[in-house]
Amino acid sequence: MVPEKFTLAVLVSGRGSNLQAIIDSIKKNNLPAEVAVVISNVRDAYALERARKHGIENVFLDPESYPDRNSYEQALAERLQSKSVNLICLAGFMRILGKHFIETFTGRIINIHPSLLPAFPGLNAQKQALDRGAKFSGCTAHYVDEEVDGGPIILQAVVPVHDDDDEASLSARILAQEHIIYPAAIRLIIEGKLTLSGRKVLHGNSRRNSA
Ligand code: GRF
């Protein structure tokens, strides 16, 4: 059953096109959710502007106002708890979250990454794929655990890598798929269709699961 009001927090650092895809899905009634707050660790992130345009609470939480990572993450956690957020969506959030924060929100943090994980975790995933001569790449929506880009995989989409691709062209091809699978992954969570089994995410509607 879909809960009456499923609230999301979206954590961002930059342009926010994935945030926009989430907002658009909600507006088109494809995602039964509400973005309760958008939080950025970068003051002039365009994602904040996108939130503003849609009347969504937007917060710049300045890392420099806190003495260390733990106190920053404590402040972040308090913000999220005060909004009673059901799911935290990292969308281009360029900070690695610590163990305590992740444990506080176990199973309630997801991320979108521009490669077919476990290939090419970390920064510049599209360049990594090009440099290795991968013939296919893509994107991954996954739960966040302590391993960077290593949590259980929810959804992936594959794109071809062309001989004449550069980072910009491959990134654009991948990004178009990110905008499809990230809202889709959120929807699966809201609808309660996913079960975690060790490192695997089982999709409730698969034939084997229902056998
Ligand atoms: C995306 O490529 C996402 O996969 C990665 O950071 C980028 C964020 O883009 N984690 P945007 O800010 O959502 O446009």
Side-chain angles (χ1 to χ4, degrees):
M1 212 177 80
V2 178
E4 220 166 78
K5 199 175 91 181
F6 193 96
T7 54
L8 311 175
V10 185
L11 270 49
V12 296
S13 302
R15 95 198 129 173
S17 69
N18 279 287
L19 166 67
Q20 190 66 54
I22 293 168
I23 294 171
D24 292 346
S25 292
I26 293 172
K27 289 217 183 281
K28 287 184 200 149
N29 290 325
N30 286 333
L31 198 53
E34 180 194 335
V35 181
V37 65
V38 172
I39 302 178
S40 171
N41 64 325
V42 173
R43 187 187 304 274
D44 60 357
Y46 184 62
L48 289 175
E49 181 59 30
R50 292 184 195 263
R52 228 171 271 136
K53 279 186 187 157
H54 289 277
I56 297 168
E57 181 175 331
N58 53 94
V59 177
F60 163 52
L61 202 57
D62 187 355
E64 299 204 342
S65 305
Y66 298 87
D68 52 33
R69 184 169 99 168
N70 281 348
S71 48
Y72 183 77
E73 291 184 2
Q74 180 61 35
L76 186 58
E78 282 166 16
R79 283 271 179 176
L80 296 166
Q81 280 156 345
S82 77
K83 304 298 292 182
S84 303
V85 159
N86 296 115
L87 185 69
I88 301 165
C89 305
L90 310 184
F93 186 62
M94 299 301 285
R95 274 180 80 92
I96 291 169
L97 294 164
K99 183 178 162 59
H100 183 69
F101 184 93
I102 289 170
E103 279 175 2
T104 305
F105 298 100
T106 299
R108 288 192 290 145
I109 315 175
I110 61 170
N111 183 41
I112 180 79
H113 181 79
S115 76
L116 292 174
L117 291 170
F120 314 132
L123 293 174
N124 306 317
Q126 302 93 332
K127 181 169 186 306
Q128 292 185 55
L130 286 169
D131 290 350
R132 282 299 298 266
K135 300 301 178 205
F136 291 90
S137 189
C139 50
T140 304
H142 64 94
Y143 284 105
V144 171
D145 65 12
E146 273 178 68
E147 190 188 333
V148 175
D149 300 322
I153 292 168
I154 302 169
L155 282 177
Q156 294 184 305
V158 181
V159 306
V161 181
H162 301 315
D163 286 349
D164 60 354
D165 265 332
D166 58 15
E167 221 179 314
S169 61
L170 179 59
S171 298
R173 194 174 307 121
I174 292 173
L175 193 65
Q177 296 302 313
E178 294 182 33
H179 297 164
I180 296 169
I181 70 162
Y182 208 22
I186 297 168
R187 191 184 165 112
L188 288 171
I189 292 170
I190 295 173
E191 291 176 341
K193 292 206 170 134
L194 305 180
T195 312
L196 262 175
S197 168
R199 296 198 57 78
K200 288 190 197 164
V201 177
L202 307 177
H203 288 231
N205 55 358
S206 93
R207 252 190 298 156
R208 262 189 237 156
N209 296 340
S210 59

